[in-house]
Amino acid sequence: MNILVTGGTGYIGSHTCVSLLEAGHSVVIADNLSNSRKETVNKIKEITNRDVLFHEIDVSNKDQVKKLFSNNKFDGVIHFAGYKAVGESLDLPISYYSNNLFSTIFLAEACINYGVRRFVFSSSATVYGDNQAPFKETMKLLPTTNPYGSTKEMSERILTDVAKANSSFSVSILRYFNPIGAHQSGLIGEIPKGHPNNLMPYITNVAKGKFDKLFVFGNDYSTLDGTGVRDYIHVMDLAEGHVKALESIDSGVEVFNLGTGQGTSVLQLLKAFEQANGLEIPYEIVERRPGDIATCFADTTKAEKHLCWKAKRGIFEMCRDAWRFETQYTD
Ligand code: NAD
Ligand code: UD1
């Protein structure tokens, strides 16, 4: 299949391009490089030894989307493009709503106008809010506390309504848990801009000596060691889940959790990183971060059954690959 990958030079998008190409599909990337670099296209080509088309365009711009679809014939779209920083979304709600919602609307509209049936959407476990883990696709979604989370919940609703009204348009909504790690080559990985907010990029920055220590946000949660528990998933497992989701799209809308089903605490991840890489990471326990929940992990039964997909890489591999990329990457 010839697949349009929006946000394909970004963190998850670039790894998914590798998996798509390795599965024999062709890839056209559309990215405005607002949070990524053009060199990533060459890295994807280097890893896969395949050609990739790249268009530097804004997919929240209707005319640019229309032009892209009129000049290419796509069999499917994987829509990663969007803004993703929770804290920033509280300061810049208009940017977040317009970028994340217009892109979804214009891409869905173009799919209908140009007869593209398969659409895969990047959603997030954030839509489950403070439900009781493990999170199941059938759970009632709880209101999110920030505009970023709201754009995911609204995009899911928009795509569901569009698919209901157009039988020729089918959607796979993927709710990601916490992707970390990098491609084993060390050529592509996560390049966070500015101050990192997520745990793994913060740990790698401490390991690099950019920061003195990690601040652990709270040790009084009701978890095994009092620190927050999350479902960390290797980004290559996540990438492979996208290929399965795309290939298995049939009709209507299906929602899938992409996680490992395993919870890991902040201190467990820290220890795993130290052991996997032979490093020591100083840390200090501080106050809880507002808006954080205690425990978040997936029920992965549906993806295992319907997509024949299961995450296979463990926490040590995630830590080793994240650090390999960080040590190889130069600005
Ligand atoms: P990323 O920022 O690395 O990648 C997003 C890409 O989209 C970037 O390359 C950026 O330049 C591009 N982009 C943004 N707006 C655009 C626009 N209007 N037109 C064209 N390109 C645009 O982020 P990521 O971590 O790879 O996340 C990909 C998707 O997955 C996002 O939708 C994100 O919300 C979602 N998601 C990410 C996580 C996570 O932990 N990384 C978790 C859940 C969901
Ligand atoms: C964050 C986002 C969430 C998004 C998810 C995946 C916030 C508030 N939430 O959630 O919307 O879907 O990433 O991208 O940003 N931690 C520390 N010290 C740090 C950083 C994190 O102790 O410096 C802890 C957190 O309290 C949490 C765990 O590490 O318990 C993971 O944090 P993080 O990587 O930010 O992911 P989420 O909180 O799951």
Side-chain angles (χ1 to χ4, degrees):
M1 290 190 270
N2 188 34
I3 306 303
L4 170 64
V5 182
T6 76
T9 45
Y11 174 45
I12 307 171
S14 57
H15 291 81
T16 302
C17 287
V18 168
S19 290
L20 285 167
L21 292 160
E22 283 175 346
H25 301 294
S26 302
V27 163
V28 177
I29 295 176
D31 200 301
N32 65 359
L33 304 177
S34 57
N35 196 35
S36 55
R37 285 141 201 252
K38 202 168 166 197
E39 296 97 84
T40 300
V41 177
N42 289 331
K43 308 276 185 192
I44 296 168
K45 289 182 187 170
E46 191 180 334
I47 292 169
T48 58
N49 209 12
R50 292 275 313 275
D51 202 14
V52 175
L53 290 180
F54 174 75
H55 296 281
E56 187 175 339
I57 64 157
D58 178 349
V59 295
S60 70
N61 178 302
K62 191 171 178 159
D63 292 337
Q64 292 185 27
V65 169
K66 227 169 129 184
K67 198 166 156 208
L68 180 70
F69 277 72
S70 64
N71 290 336
N72 293 272
K73 171 86 190 80
F74 300 123
D75 300 298
V77 175
I78 307 186
H79 178 34
F80 292 103
Y83 296 151
K84 63 164 182 176
V86 172
E88 188 183 62
S89 78
L90 289 161
D91 296 330
L92 303 172
I94 291 178
S95 293
Y96 272 71
Y97 284 115
S98 60
N99 194 38
N100 293 5
L101 297 183
F102 285 137
S103 58
T104 302
I105 292 168
F106 296 147
L107 287 162
E109 186 181 38
C111 283
I112 287 156
N113 291 342
Y114 290 86
V116 181
R117 186 166 68 87
R118 294 164 195 262
F119 195 97
V120 178
F121 177 66
S122 298
S123 190
S124 165
T126 196
V127 298
Y128 291 111
D130 202 3
N131 264 300
Q132 180 74 38
F135 297 156
K136 225 175 153 48
E137 291 87 345
T138 47
M139 273 178 167
K140 190 174 165 15
L141 303 186
L142 296 178
T144 56
T145 52
N146 57 78
Y148 165 72
S150 303
T151 67
K152 291 297 172 194
E153 193 264 318
M154 288 178 192
S155 291
E156 287 197 7
R157 225 176 325 145
I158 291 166
L159 291 168
T160 303
D161 289 342
V162 174
K164 264 189 207 155
N166 296 275
S167 57
S168 61
F169 181 66
S170 307
V171 183
S172 187
I173 291 171
L174 305 181
R175 295 183 182 149
Y176 311 156
F177 283 70
N178 291 59
I180 58 171
H183 188 264
Q184 61 177 26
S185 62
L187 289 172
I188 54 172
E190 186 171 17
I191 311 169
K193 272 196 181 157
H195 192 84
N197 292 309
N198 296 118
L199 182 58
M200 181 54 91
Y202 208 98
I203 291 177
T204 54
N205 272 293
V206 175
K208 260 189 151 172
K210 256 189 174 169
F211 304 127
D212 294 340
K213 57 187 164 189
L214 171 74
F215 295 103
V216 175
F217 300 143
N219 67 347
D220 57 351
Y221 288 105
S222 59
T223 60
L224 72 164
D225 58 18
T227 66
V229 166
R230 297 292 183 270
D231 185 340
Y232 298 97
I233 173 169
H234 195 294
V235 66
M236 284 308 298
D237 276 324
L238 190 64
E240 287 159 15
H242 286 73
V243 179
K244 296 283 189 184
L246 175 86
E247 290 173 346
S248 73
I249 284 182
D250 188 8
S251 61
V253 180
E254 289 290 348
V255 182
F256 296 102
N257 285 337
L258 294 187
T260 64
Q262 304 290 321
T264 303
S265 75
V266 176
L267 292 180
Q268 285 177 322
L269 187 71
L270 186 76
K271 292 296 156 209
F273 186 89
E274 291 184 329
Q275 281 172 22
N277 298 308
L279 293 161
E280 205 176 310
I281 306 293
Y283 71 91
E284 182 187 336
I285 308 285
V286 296
E287 288 293 289
R288 290 180 179 196
R289 180 172 66 180
D292 270 356
I293 59 172
T295 304
C296 168
F297 63 94
D299 179 320
T300 57
T301 320
K302 187 176 174 192
E304 281 170 34
K305 196 164 161 223
H306 291 258
L307 303 180
C308 301
W309 168 91
K310 196 175 175 5
K312 48 179 192 265
R313 297 162 178 90
I315 209 85
F316 283 94
E317 205 169 339
M318 301 181 209
C319 291
R320 196 195 56 204
D321 292 344
W323 182 233
R324 185 189 296 112
F325 173 71
E326 195 67 45
T327 51
Q328 287 187 22
Y329 173 75
T330 44
D331 272 314

